[in-house]
Amino acid sequence: MSGASDRWNPIFLKELRQSLRGRVFGILFPTTVLAGVAVAITAMVDLHPRPIAGPDVLLPVLVVLGVAALGLVPFSAFQSMGGEWDDGTHDLLVLSHLSPGRIVLGKLLSAAVESVLYFAGFAPVLLFTFLLSGVDLRDLLFLIGALYAASIAMSAVALALAGLTRSRFWRVVLLAATAGLAFLALVLGYDLAETFVKRGRGLGTGHASEDVAATIGLILAFGTLFTAIASTRLAHPEDDRSGPVRWTVSGLLVALLAAVTTVGAGFMSSVPVFEVAALVGALAAAFAVFFVTEPERLPRRAAARVPRNAALAVLAAPFLPGGGRGVLWWLLQLAILAAWATAVAAWHGAGRARPWTPGTFGQWCAFQSYFLVYLAGFSLALGRVRERSYGPLAARLILPSVAVLSMVLPLLAGFLSGETNPIRDSILFPTGAMQREPHAPKSLVALVVGGVVLALNLPRLITSFAQVLAASARRRRPLPAPLERPTDAAHAG
Amino acid sequence: MAALEVCGITKRFGSLVAVDQASFAVEAGRITGFIGPNGAGKTTTMRIAATLDLPDEGDVLLDGVSVLDDPRGARRKLGFMPDAYGAYPSTTLWEYLDFYARAYDLHGALRRRRVEEVLEFTSLSALREKEMAVLSKGLKQRLCLAKTLLHDPSVLILDEPAAGLDPRARVELRELVRALAGMRKAILVSSHILTELAEMCDGIAVIEAGRIKATGSVHDVTRGIQTAVPVFVRVLEDADRLERALLELPGVERARREGQGLVFEHQGSPESLAGVLAALVAAGLRPVEFTPRAMGLEEVFLSLTEGKLQ
Ligand SMILES: Nc1ncnc2c1ncn2[C@@H]1O[C@H](COP(=O)(O)OP(=O)(O)O)[C@@H](O)[C@H]1O
Ligand SMILES: [Mg+2]
């Protein structure tokens, strides 16, 4: 493995060598392929009196391949990342000249190769099901391609989750979470395959565009997001561990809006502007939980990369680590959403169910105020906790729990007291978005509460900008860092 | 400028202050022993110096590069051997070193040459095709050291490298470390067992409960705290008579029995010590042993970490 491989990713070479030599793959691979063949034969035997149809054999075979591609391959990726902790090689890797991105890429590449081997092992069976006829070649190729891409995306998820913690206990929990996600992906994939090859809504029929877009979108989104998360987890704590994820999420949200706009304009009579703006805002809030709970300080390595130009530094601020800058990031996403909604409303019409008008814009703001209270309000209240080493994690658990409890508890209370519409009448402060008819007074309450929280956050937001500007200024005129020299006295203490 | 400068680092874990304002320096070509009981904060300090953990205060400079401001730059200067070093399953020595050489961006002929060099240096060439898993602890330790040397770092930080080694492996390790110091590398070696370091180090830094108690050359530290020299003396006559005679002499403090002789503590110049011997002879005693004991690292350490002198 020298010579030609000289400049290959070392992690890739190592992982490949280990997994091919490892006993696990040597047992799992033949077992899985045999299971695929067995399932195909069983399906044909079951069908026996009736004529054998391709789809009836293809679907069970795809399930077995899906278990390998979405379960076994990510599992081995998870183990390889977890193994670096357990073998004590994690620190050695981090200390080498490999960048976190190259480490993650190497592991992803080896997952990709491992996955290819499974697909190659299944190729004869898949070809056979195709020859049975009844399956459109385009459908088959798309499903296989999507499953392969999903296998790599799922491996990225596994790498990111395995990289989160050194603790074996938590890693077992995270492995269970990975398995849950893989199962979900398998169910979704099965449904897609069934829709394509059995329900007659495949690629040839002209009904499949939305499914195709959603599939590709989901795979790409999960893949890129978790690749970004996996590599930031390997970065030095004084490095920017948040920015790459913020950029990725922003990019994905914009891509989502673009997709909705084109698909909506093409297939629906008009884009549901308000609903999309509300939902994407909520989605952004879910990600923002991670950003607003970071410590406020600008890490030293991140500070050393702030743009020298003050204006650029201000523009980049929402994408730099820090809780206050997390709030800025979220507000920026809302601004992008509002701009998008306004532009689409002007271009394609304001939507049917709830048109995008100045009045509903107020309702939308009221709806987002709800998130503002949790994101900006509670993260501010938890400020002292967040500066502790366990703080961000604690805040990340507390924030969503409070948000969910504050919805569930009134709901429960409303249910027990016999309310007819508990969600609408008992929620902390109901907003227009949850009601069929505009409900001006309550929306107003939400807006006022949101305004107060924002005002309370003002010092924090100003500090967030000030830190960035100070870092930028320091970069413009580099001073020798004042350092405390070690004392030359032989005795200390 | 010292190759490794630890500048006032403090590290807290919750309410526990694991390292408290620690400062010391290691010059190029010198071996400094980092000594302290278990839990004193050695590993914490070393991991901070190795860019793996963050101090709450202070900084560490490797060849003048700050581990906080430029961890990547600092890592190029640094070879770190953690206390629990990793091994990959089903990997041969050569593959292990080749992998890390690639990870350190060594390519082509240069990479092959570096791998050969470090194998040679650690006398592991003959075992290159052996799997790591079958190696003894001492050989694994040497392999890990070989790996640490691949990118020719100027600062070496070795966390408890001698722990669990048999005496022979320990001697071999000492020779290797000495040879590395001869190559002008600055070396920091930790241990909680003094004898492991005693013959290896040019200087020591003693740490207890996160605080640096003393730094400097072994000689300086020893002299700095040594007030009384223990002297072993054995005479042909009765030990009681010896004790009575001794305690009347100037500069002699406390005498206690040890084996067939006595150990007394002497305070004063070598001339005064010679005077003690002469006085014993003059008193009609016939000494057959008279041995001043230099304070060993062990005693230095005990006297420092008890917070008082003997
Ligand atoms: N990650 C950690 N979390 C909490 N306490 C720690 C952690 N690492 C070390 N400590 C504590 O810090 C102190 C110093 O530990 P350490 O540096 O490993 O000591 P040494 O290497 O000298 O034996 C010990 O009391 C230890 O329990
Ligand atoms: Mg230790």
Side-chain angles (χ1 to χ4, degrees):
Chain A
M1 281 214 232
S2 49
S5 70
D6 190 46
R7 303 239 162 208
W8 288 16
N9 187 311
I11 297 278
F12 170 61
L13 288 178
K14 181 205 83 164
E15 294 294 335
L16 206 60
R17 184 164 57 211
Q18 270 180 284
S19 60
L20 296 188
R21 263 189 217 162
R23 225 172 292 147
V24 180
F25 184 75
I27 294 170
L28 283 181
F29 178 72
T31 314
T32 318
V33 174
L34 280 181
V37 174
V39 159
I41 294 172
T42 317
M44 286 191 293
V45 172
D46 274 356
L47 282 169
H48 177 56
R50 288 168 283 152
I52 292 172
D56 295 307
V57 184
L58 175 67
L59 284 177
V61 172
L62 273 184
V63 168
V64 178
L65 181 58
V67 169
L70 300 175
L72 300 182
V73 173
F75 176 74
S76 105
F78 192 98
Q79 291 300 81
S80 92
M81 194 62 118
E84 305 287 359
W85 293 118
D86 293 341
D87 296 339
T89 46
H90 185 275
D91 291 341
L92 299 182
L93 276 190
V94 167
L95 287 178
S96 75
H97 294 179
L98 290 173
S99 67
R102 268 172 85 200
I103 296 177
V104 171
L105 192 69
K107 293 200 181 268
L108 271 185
L109 277 176
S110 95
V113 168
E114 204 176 309
S115 204
V116 158
L117 293 179
Y118 278 110
F119 279 78
F122 272 73
V125 191
L126 289 173
L127 185 67
F128 176 70
T129 59
F130 172 68
L131 293 178
L132 289 176
S133 84
V135 180
D136 188 78
L137 183 62
R138 280 171 296 181
D139 287 343
L140 184 63
L141 290 181
F142 177 76
L143 287 174
I144 290 177
L147 183 58
Y148 182 66
S151 167
I152 296 171
M154 201 55 224
S155 301
V157 174
L159 288 177
L161 294 185
L164 282 185
T165 170
R166 189 184 285 267
S167 140
R168 272 183 189 237
F169 169 76
W170 284 111
R171 240 181 304 126
V172 171
V173 174
L174 289 167
L175 182 60
T178 315
L181 257 176
F183 182 73
L184 198 69
L186 192 62
V187 170
L188 283 176
Y190 184 82
D191 189 58
L192 181 77
E194 206 176 28
T195 311
F196 272 23
V197 299
K198 257 192 152 169
R199 299 202 201 108
R201 296 178 64 88
L203 286 173
T205 62
H207 295 294
S209 318
E210 280 170 59
D211 282 336
V212 169
T215 307
I216 295 177
L218 267 181
I219 293 172
L220 272 181
F222 268 82
T224 46
L225 180 65
F226 280 89
T227 305
I229 294 177
S231 27
T232 55
R233 293 313 303 170
L234 289 170
H236 188 269
E238 286 291 306
D239 253 317
D240 182 359
R241 289 174 136 189
S242 184
V245 182
R246 293 186 190 202
W247 285 108
T248 308
V249 175
S250 285
L252 289 173
L253 292 182
V254 169
L256 179 62
L257 290 181
V260 167
T261 314
T262 44
V263 172
F267 290 87
M268 295 171 240
S269 48
S270 70
V271 184
V273 185
F274 183 89
E275 287 77 2
V276 170
L279 279 177
V280 176
L283 195 62
F287 286 109
V289 168
F290 293 93
F291 306 147
V292 299
T293 46
E294 289 166 5
E296 296 296 322
R297 198 174 63 87
L298 193 60
R300 291 168 74 166
R301 275 301 277 163
R305 296 229 196 96
V306 168
R308 282 204 172 80
N309 182 305
L312 280 180
V314 168
L315 285 180
F319 295 94
L320 290 167
R325 283 174 292 273
V327 175
L328 291 176
W329 178 86
W330 186 63
L331 293 176
L332 179 67
Q333 311 310 302
L334 290 189
I336 293 173
L337 268 177
W340 169 82
T342 311
V344 172
W347 193 258
H348 291 294
R352 283 261 179 83
R354 190 184 293 270
W356 184 261
T357 62
T360 57
F361 174 69
Q363 285 178 12
W364 180 76
C365 288
F367 180 57
Q368 302 301 341
S369 290
Y370 187 77
F371 294 104
L372 187 72
V373 171
Y374 293 108
L375 291 176
F378 280 87
S379 71
L380 187 69
L382 290 172
R384 287 192 163 266
V385 176
R386 281 188 295 120
E387 302 301 323
R388 300 283 177 87
S389 57
Y390 59 84
L393 179 65
R396 274 159 208 180
L397 294 175
I398 293 172
L399 227 71
S401 315
V402 173
V404 168
L405 278 183
S406 69
M407 281 204 255
V408 170
L409 290 184
L411 199 74
L412 216 64
F415 180 73
L416 292 179
S417 65
E419 289 279 354
T420 45
N421 190 343
I423 276 242
R424 194 185 68 192
D425 296 328
S426 314
I427 204 153
L428 193 59
F429 50 91
T431 67
M434 297 183 182
Q435 299 154 317
R436 272 276 138 243
E437 71 284 348
H439 207 297
K442 284 187 175 175
S443 286
L444 208 61
V445 172
L447 281 175
V448 170
V449 173
V452 170
V453 169
L454 207 57
L456 286 175
N457 259 280
L458 222 50
R460 182 187 181 197
L461 300 186
I462 290 169
T463 312
S464 299
F465 276 121
Q467 286 171 343
V468 172
L469 282 174
S472 171
R474 232 177 295 129
R475 294 243 297 144
R476 281 197 295 277
R477 35 187 169 69
L479 296 167
L483 266 174
E484 190 195 328
R485 293 283 148 184
T487 50
D488 53 356
H491 293 273
Chain B
M1 182 188 61
L4 168 65
E5 287 185 57
V6 176
C7 314
I9 58 171
T10 296
K11 175 78 180 175
R12 298 183 197 92
F13 294 108
S15 60
L16 173 83
V17 185
V19 181
D20 191 1
Q21 298 281 336
S23 295
F24 58 90
V26 185
E27 307 284 336
R30 310 235 320 156
I31 306 172
T32 295
F34 194 27
I35 303 169
N38 275 324
K42 302 182 296 293
T43 299
T44 307
T45 306
M46 288 179 139
R47 285 181 59 85
I48 289 170
T51 76
L52 291 169
D53 277 335
L54 291 175
D56 294 307
E57 285 159 34
D59 199 349
V60 177
L61 303 182
L62 304 178
D63 264 354
V65 179
S66 154
V67 296
L68 286 176
D69 292 332
D70 187 8
R72 282 186 148 239
R75 283 169 194 172
R76 284 171 198 273
K77 313 274 185 192
L78 165 84
F80 175 59
M81 202 159 113
D83 48 0
Y85 45 88
Y88 287 118
S90 54
T91 305
T92 67
L93 267 65
W94 188 83
E95 285 166 346
Y96 183 76
L97 291 175
D98 181 68
F99 164 67
Y100 278 107
R102 287 168 189 269
Y104 277 100
D105 282 335
L106 298 169
H107 295 293
L110 176 64
R111 184 180 74 240
R112 284 187 286 280
R113 206 180 67 227
R114 274 309 287 168
V115 172
E116 290 306 330
E117 276 169 12
V118 298
L119 276 172
E120 185 87 9
F121 180 76
T122 49
S123 323
L124 290 171
S125 298
L127 302 175
R128 44 189 301 154
E129 297 303 332
K130 271 252 184 335
E131 278 203 8
M132 286 189 75
V134 305
L135 294 186
S136 70
K137 174 123 199 205
L139 289 179
K140 261 189 205 149
Q141 194 71 272
R142 253 151 67 184
L143 177 62
C144 192
L145 186 63
K147 178 244 132 206
T148 309
L149 299 175
L150 279 169
H151 62 298
D152 197 19
S154 49
V155 178
L156 285 174
I157 298 181
L158 314 177
D159 195 1
E160 306 257 0
L165 295 192
D166 60 55
R168 187 188 177 79
R170 208 175 288 169
V171 171
E172 285 166 355
L173 179 77
R174 193 175 71 210
E175 297 308 315
L176 285 178
V177 173
R178 276 247 148 264
L180 287 168
M183 298 175 192
R184 304 278 312 144
K185 296 184 191 308
I187 304 173
L188 182 68
V189 197
S190 78
S191 178
H192 63 282
I193 302 165
L194 285 143
T195 44
E196 285 179 356
L197 295 182
E199 294 144 75
M200 197 194 282
C201 299
D202 305 306
I204 52 174
V206 180
I207 185 170
E208 189 194 26
R211 287 174 168 272
I212 301 288
K213 295 287 180 177
T215 59
S217 72
V218 175
H219 182 68
D220 287 348
V221 173
T222 314
R223 204 183 46 196
I225 59 148
Q226 195 165 13
T227 50
V229 186
V231 182
F232 179 78
V233 55
R234 186 161 71 85
V235 293
L236 291 177
E237 283 73 21
D238 185 36
D240 286 335
R241 220 184 112 195
L242 170 66
E243 187 168 357
R244 279 195 302 278
L246 266 176
L247 288 175
E248 286 168 10
L249 296 171
V252 172
E253 295 166 0
R254 278 176 297 175
R256 63 186 147 82
R257 291 287 175 90
E258 192 180 292
Q260 305 197 315
L262 277 175
V263 175
F264 67 93
E265 284 180 16
H266 174 259
Q267 191 131 28
S269 62
E271 287 75 21
S272 139
L273 188 59
V276 171
L277 180 58
L280 288 181
V281 175
L285 295 161
R286 288 170 294 165
V288 284
E289 280 185 67
F290 190 89
T291 326
R293 287 180 182 164
M295 213 170 174
L297 267 181
E298 202 84 44
E299 286 88 7
V300 172
F301 177 65
L302 285 175
S303 72
L304 280 170
T305 52
E306 278 166 8
K308 60 180 166 61
L309 303 178
Q310 283 179 327

